[in-house]
Structure formats: structure tokens, C-alpha cells
Amino acid sequence: MLERDVLVVGAGPAGLAASIEAAKAGADVLLVDLNMKPGGQLFKQIHKFFGSSAHRSGTRGFDIGLKLLEEAKEAGVEIWLQSTVVGAFPGNLIAIEKGVDGGAKEVITLKSKKVIIATGASENVVRFKGWTTPGVMGAGAAQTMINVNHVKPGKKIVMVGSGNVGLIVSYQLMQAGCDVVALIEAAPKIGGYAVHAAKIRRAGVPIYTKHTVVEAIPGEDGTVCKVVIAQVDDHFNPIPGTEETIEADTVTIGAGLKPATDMVKLEKCQLTFNGPFGGFIPLHNDKMETSKSGVYVAGDATGVEEANTALEEGKIAGISAVESLGLISPKEAEKRRIEIWDRLEALRMGPFGERRQQEKDNILKEYEEKIGTAVEMD
Amino acid sequence: MALINDGYLEFEELNKLQKLPSEERYAKGPVAVIECVQEIPCNPCEAACKFGAINVGNPITNLPTCSHDKCTGCGVCVSKCPGLAIFIVNKAYSETTATVGFPYEYMPTPSEGMAVSAVNRKGEVVCDAKVVKVVNPPAFDHTPVVTIEIPKEYADEVRSIKRL
Ligand SMILES: Cc1cc2nc3c(=O)[nH]c(=O)nc-3n(C[C@H](O)[C@H](O)[C@H](O)COP(=O)(O)OP(=O)(O)OC[C@H]3O[C@@H](n4cnc5c(N)ncnc54)[C@H](O)[C@@H]3O)c2cc1C
Ligand code: SF4
Ligand code: SF4
């Protein structure tokens, strides 16, 4: 049977960073991702990243991805693409549907001493009249269309949601040559960074706060041709009589992300609900270990944040995994973890970060209270 | 606050939240104007300036500050700022005109000599303008810095051009 020291699921920044750490310490690492390309969100991000210059901010997301891939290769990480974990069984056994040449799949059973889950997050949907009309899509999907596949989703776009995803994807849609005719936000203020909002305002995009989308109206060909928006009251209900109709052929929804928990559920890790982090997340300690001994988590899968935080958490998970394999000393591991938690704390400051720091602290506390020490794999 | 409700800064708002160059400094030529006013975890502008004019420090969520006397108006930070929030304003360009340099990542890239429409922070057309410089070396990593000439009275208002 195929055996590995560490299996990492998800090849975004978190999974790549975890793989690199583990492989550098001498572990045999297998990294699997269901996509055709590794890199997770990074290869869609053509904009220069925020963050600290120590984390290569000011560099475009996909360049950060390329660098990580190179490091992973150098460290000897084995990567399987178009491969999904489909089962977890007693005795550290994992079933992987492996993508093989020609688009076929082959199911392989792997015995892995440690598992690191870095499956990222998926997009939330918003339901309104006509939400299934062709032309209505997630903002992330639109971003994949323009930046990965080089296809415009439409000519005139209504973006719903003013978080960083809504703002950045609006900007990139214009870079791709589309017009963003309105940006709609139900809350009274813009959710994402003001500098991102400012760049699309400068480009002439009207921003409608306290508004929602009420209906997407199909034209003769069955695809979106008009979009009705309306003001909302304090309870986010549309106010009758305030409707406006906008000519548009595409509605993109940037209504937040939620952590992808399929894999942690498969491993029967204990979950907790956390609103600010986007929904259900696996409980974990400061080693990024879940309720199940030997199973670690990192990145957006532990709560939706940023590439920088994903990278740092990935490193912690990688370090902890090789520590428990005996490849590095507990003293060395602890020293490095402390350094990383300090950097994470710096990233979770300011009006956008404080809340996440508090929630992270709460999660670590909840772990202490409910779990204490992780239980052995069954 | 206009910024978080409508997505643009009123000049008064900016003036309150960021230290802007003094009129004496403006009189000496091009200088960086940083329009970054929220405490976000970001600092590439600090590393970009080889004259040490920009400071963010610790924690990384501090607002950037610019020592305008150290700034030469070279424009490197403009291309490095992921927020596209830094501009180069030269109020001493000529007797009656000023220039504004800004990052421009749309296609096509404007060319020198081109007649364009200058817009304010809200994207409204304010006046006609002429492109006087386009700087786009590999080090700017695909963020060209475009400089336009405008009537001096609009120097605090104009921040970009209408997309071509
Ligand atoms: C529009 C936009 C702009 C952003 N801008 C910035 C920015 O400027 N700065 C910044 O720091 N961050 C930014 N981010 C956030 C950043 O991209 C994410 O936080 C980061 O990618 C999370 O990393 P991750 O490794 O946890 O997850 P991801 O990057 O999402 O990677 C998860 C990977 O797991 C794979 N996967 C999922 N489930 C399975 C499974 N069952 N089996 C196998 N593989 C699986 C997926 O295919 C994917 O490749 C942005 C995000 C978006 C959407
Ligand atoms: S314009 Fe040049 S000198 Fe001035 S702050 Fe920016 S990088 Fe420094
Ligand atoms: S690089 Fe730009 S967005 Fe980041 S702190 Fe500096 S001025 Fe603000």
C-alpha cells in the first residue's frame, strides 16, 4: 500500500506552505488538489497583494503562487492534481480519487501518518427572484472566467456585495474590458477596504449602499437583460416603491465565503459555529491540530481570512506535523510556532483584524475547554 | 464619512486623516500624496521608498506617513501600493498648470501627448488634460504611472482619467 508521512489536502497558500515546511524537515509529503492547477485562489488574483512586505505584499497573487510552487518542488513535495479525497477510514487510511492522464480517475488507498486539511472556502449564494437565470453567478466564478480562462462573463455587470471580493472583482472586470454599472450593498457602509472602493469609484462605478437586488429579468434569449434593485430598511427588507431598473446582462454575487468543511467532517473532527469566520469551522489548538490527533487544519478552512494568514497557519500545521513525527524537536517547533503566532497577531490588528484575533483566541480557548488534548485516530 | 459610505474621500476628510504636503513643499516640485486612511495590514509603500520617506512601522496596521522633505517625487511607491492610493502631485509644473501622477492598470495604456479627460475621486470628469509622461519599467510590474497636466486649481481634486 502507498504510504506517506504527511498528506496535505488543498494546494492553496495554506496547503503549499504546510507541504513546504513538512518536506523541508524531511517528511515524505503528498499534496492533493481537486483543481487542474495548484495554487488555490492565488492564480485568480492578478492584483498586487496587501499585507507585509515580509509576506511579499505588493506582489501579484499569481506570482506569489508561482514562487510557492517552485519552493514546493525544490523541497520535494509530490503533487497530485484533479485528485479528491473521497474517504477516511480507521487505521490512518485515506481513499483518494486520483486524476490520471486522459481525464480518467483511479481510486487509491493511502496510509498517511499525518493529515493536513487546507481546503479553503466556497462562495455563499443570495436568493432573489430570477437568481437561477443564466448570467447570475458568483463573483469568484466571474473572476475565474476573466483571469484564468480569459472569457468575459458579460458586458454590463451589476456586482452585489462590497466586501473585498466584490470590490476587487469589480476592478478586474473593468480591467478585462467589462463595464460595472452598479455595485450594490445592503449594509449602510462599504464592507471591504476603502482603498479598493476608491479605485472603482474613481473609475466611475456607482456604489449603492443600503440597497439590494430584487430581481434579475431575463430577455428573449432567456439570459439576464435587466436587474431591479431597491433600497432596504434597517432589517434589510426591500422598501416598496424604491425600485430602480438597471440595464445589465450579468449579476455577480460577492456575498462572502464559507469555510469548506467536507474534509474535516470526513475525518469526524469536532466543529464549532463562528459567524465572523464564515460559518462552521473545525476546532483547533495553537498547533493547528483538530480534535483528532494527527489531523491538522490551516487557512480559509479554519475561518475565512487572507492569503498571508493562510500561509502562516499552513506553516504552523506543517511544523506541528513534523514535530509529532519526531523530525524536529519540540523545543524547536515551539520556538517557531511562537514566532509565527506573533506575526499572525500583527496581521490581525486594526479595525478589520481585531475581531478575527478575538475570535481566534476564543476558538483556542473553546478547544482547551472542550477537548484539551486531541484524541488518537480511530 | 463619505469614504466608507460612498467609496470616495472628500478632500476635507483626507486632510483630517493624512498629513498632506505643505504649500512650501508643493512649491519645490513633485511630491507623494498618500490617500490611505484606514488601518489595514499593509506596508509595501514603506519598503518601496529607497529614500526612507515613508514610514509604517509596527504594528503593520499603522497608517503610512510621508516625510515630504525626504520625498523626491520619484513615483516608485505609486506602482508598489496595492491600494493604488498614492499620487504624485507637482504644483510647480508651470505658472498655470500642475501635474498629477497616478497608477493606471486599464488597457489600453495612454501614450504621451494624448488628450484625455481628468476625473476626481468620484470618477466625475473635471477638466481636459494632457498626458505628459507614462512610466512603465519592468520593476513597476505592470502598473504604469501616468502623469497628466491640468489647470493648477484642480491639483487637489484630479486623481485619474476617464477610461479610454
Ligand atoms: C477576489 C479575492 C481577492 C483576494 N485578495 C487578497 C489579497 O489582496 N491579499 C490576501 O492576503 N488575500 C487575498 N484573498 C484571500 C486569499 O486568496 C485566500 O484567503 C487564500 O487563498 C486562502 O488560502 P487557502 O490555502 O486556505 O485556500 P484556497 O486558496 O482556497 O485553496 C484551497 C484549495 O483546496 C482545494 N480543495 C478544496 N477541497 C478539496 C478536496 N476535497 N480535495 C482536494 N482539494 C480540495 C481547492 O481546489 C483549492 O485549490 C483574496 C480572495 C479573493 C476571492
Ligand atoms: S515618490 Fe519616491 S521618494 Fe517619494 S515617497 Fe514615493 S518612493 Fe519615496
Ligand atoms: S502600500 Fe498603499 S495601501 Fe498599503 S499601507 Fe501603503 S499606502 Fe496604504
Side-chain angles (χ1 to χ4, degrees):
Chain A
M1 187 188 307
L2 194 66
E3 290 190 28
R4 288 290 181 272
D5 292 331
V6 182
L7 168 71
V8 182
V9 187
L16 282 166
S19 306
I20 294 165
E21 284 301 326
K24 272 195 193 156
D28 245 348
V29 182
L30 174 63
L31 172 60
V32 299
D33 197 295
L34 54 82
N35 259 308
M36 278 149 64
K37 281 187 191 166
Q41 299 274 342
L42 288 175
F43 283 100
K44 292 168 28 180
Q45 313 304 354
I46 59 165
H47 59 288
K48 290 180 178 166
F49 263 31
F50 277 87
S52 75
S53 21
H55 291 103
R56 308 190 195 110
S57 62
T59 308
R60 297 183 191 277
F62 65 89
D63 285 327
I64 298 176
L66 288 174
K67 192 90 208 321
L68 284 172
L69 280 183
E70 212 175 278
E71 282 177 35
K73 218 191 231 164
E74 261 168 43
V77 175
E78 182 182 354
I79 304 180
W80 290 1
L81 297 173
Q82 290 179 282
S83 301
T84 321
V85 170
V86 289
F89 307 101
N92 297 359
L93 296 184
I94 305 275
I96 303 172
E97 201 180 59
K98 183 186 183 187
V100 288
D101 286 344
K105 299 274 179 186
E106 184 187 341
V107 176
I108 291 184
T109 314
L110 169 80
K111 193 174 170 73
S112 185
K113 291 181 190 141
K114 308 289 163 194
V115 176
I116 298 174
I117 301 171
T119 47
S122 58
E123 294 197 272
N124 292 331
V125 293
V126 175
R127 288 172 191 81
F128 48 89
K129 198 171 168 200
W131 71 290
T132 56
T133 310
V136 180
M137 66 183 78
Q143 195 186 32
T144 305
M145 287 178 76
I146 49 176
N147 296 347
V148 179
N149 302 316
H150 303 162
V151 178
K152 284 191 232 176
K155 288 197 185 79
K156 290 183 167 188
I157 322 269
V158 172
M159 176 67 76
V160 183
S162 72
N164 279 332
V165 171
L167 297 173
I168 292 174
V169 176
S170 293
Y171 181 65
Q172 295 178 350
L173 282 162
M174 289 189 283
Q175 287 184 300
C178 310
D179 277 324
V180 178
V181 291
L183 186 132
I184 314 292
E185 168 61 57
K189 56 178 200 166
I190 291 163
Y193 293 166
V195 283
H196 288 318
K199 40 178 129 148
I200 66 166
R201 252 329 278 248
R202 237 161 30 227
V205 175
I207 297 180
Y208 297 82
T209 46
K210 285 195 194 166
H211 275 74
T212 190
V213 52
V214 199
E215 185 178 0
I217 303 173
E220 272 174 17
D221 66 354
T223 68
V224 175
C225 82
K226 285 194 179 84
V227 180
V228 183
I229 65 167
Q231 278 177 39
V232 294
D233 60 21
D234 294 342
H235 306 287
F236 298 118
N237 294 316
I239 304 173
T242 62
E243 293 84 0
E244 262 177 79
T245 303
I246 300 175
E247 302 262 337
D249 55 19
T250 308
V251 182
T252 50
I253 314 282
L257 302 160
K258 60 170 172 297
T261 48
D262 298 351
M263 182 65 207
V264 280
K265 282 183 193 149
L266 210 56
E267 287 282 10
K268 302 194 187 71
C269 302
Q270 201 168 319
L271 301 176
T272 186
F273 186 83
N274 190 294
F277 273 139
F280 281 98
I281 55 169
L283 272 177
H284 58 82
N285 59 18
D286 62 359
K287 296 179 171 178
M288 300 312 293
E289 191 169 25
T290 63
S291 58
K292 198 166 162 187
S293 158
V295 178
Y296 303 83
V297 284
D300 280 358
T302 71
V304 175
E305 292 192 81
E306 300 168 336
N308 294 320
T309 46
L311 270 171
E312 297 289 15
E313 285 193 351
K315 284 185 191 161
I316 297 179
I319 290 166
S320 303
V322 290
E323 174 195 8
S324 68
L325 286 168
L327 292 169
I328 60 171
S329 72
K331 206 173 137 208
E332 165 78 11
E334 193 52 25
K335 183 176 144 255
R336 301 200 42 207
R337 273 195 296 264
I338 289 170
E339 284 167 11
I340 299 174
W341 279 107
D342 282 348
R343 289 205 293 271
L344 278 168
E345 206 167 305
L347 289 169
R348 291 175 181 138
M349 279 186 188
F352 289 90
E354 273 160 10
R355 183 79 192 270
R356 287 186 275 126
Q357 181 63 46
Q358 275 167 19
E359 295 300 333
K360 205 63 176 182
D361 290 342
N362 289 341
I363 290 157
L364 298 183
K365 210 158 95 214
E366 193 179 336
Y367 185 97
E368 282 304 314
E369 286 164 9
K370 285 196 184 154
I371 297 163
T373 21
V375 295
E376 281 301 308
M377 283 209 199
D378 46 12
Chain B
M1 170 156 113
L3 179 65
I4 56 170
N5 298 317
D6 303 307
Y8 64 91
L9 271 164
E10 296 284 10
F11 182 73
E12 297 71 41
E13 215 172 19
L14 172 65
N15 207 2
K16 239 185 275 159
L17 298 167
Q18 260 290 350
K19 193 186 84 187
L20 299 177
S22 62
E23 285 312 315
E24 294 83 69
R25 177 60 190 84
Y26 273 131
K28 288 182 190 154
V31 63
V33 176
I34 300 187
E35 306 203 351
C36 175
V37 298
Q38 266 180 341
E39 294 173 331
I40 53 177
C42 186
N43 71 0
C45 51
E46 184 177 38
C49 181
K50 60 174 189 288
F51 302 100
I54 303 183
N55 183 52
V56 176
N58 255 323
I60 184 183
T61 45
N62 286 343
L63 283 190
T65 53
C66 183
S67 313
H68 299 116
D69 291 329
K70 288 189 196 163
C71 170
T72 65
C74 72
V76 170
C77 56
V78 176
S79 75
K80 279 285 170 192
C81 165
L84 308 188
I86 309 181
F87 305 88
I88 305 293
V89 176
N90 183 0
K91 293 191 182 178
Y93 190 69
S94 82
E95 200 66 13
T96 55
T97 61
T99 62
V100 176
F102 50 89
Y104 188 84
E105 294 181 319
Y106 299 105
M107 302 289 266
T109 304
S111 47
E112 286 170 18
M114 203 179 239
V116 289
S117 302
V119 300
N120 60 15
R121 296 181 182 83
K122 284 187 245 185
E124 296 163 346
V125 174
V126 182
C127 58
D128 290 336
K130 193 175 99 187
V131 177
V132 292
K133 205 165 68 181
V134 178
V135 187
N136 189 17
F140 281 17
D141 187 15
H142 308 281
T143 304
V145 176
V146 174
T147 303
I148 55 171
E149 184 183 6
I150 50 164
K152 206 171 248 179
E153 62 265 36
Y154 298 120
D156 287 332
E157 237 184 283
V158 163
R159 286 299 175 262
S160 190
I161 54 171
K162 202 168 161 5
R163 277 194 295 146
L164 304 174

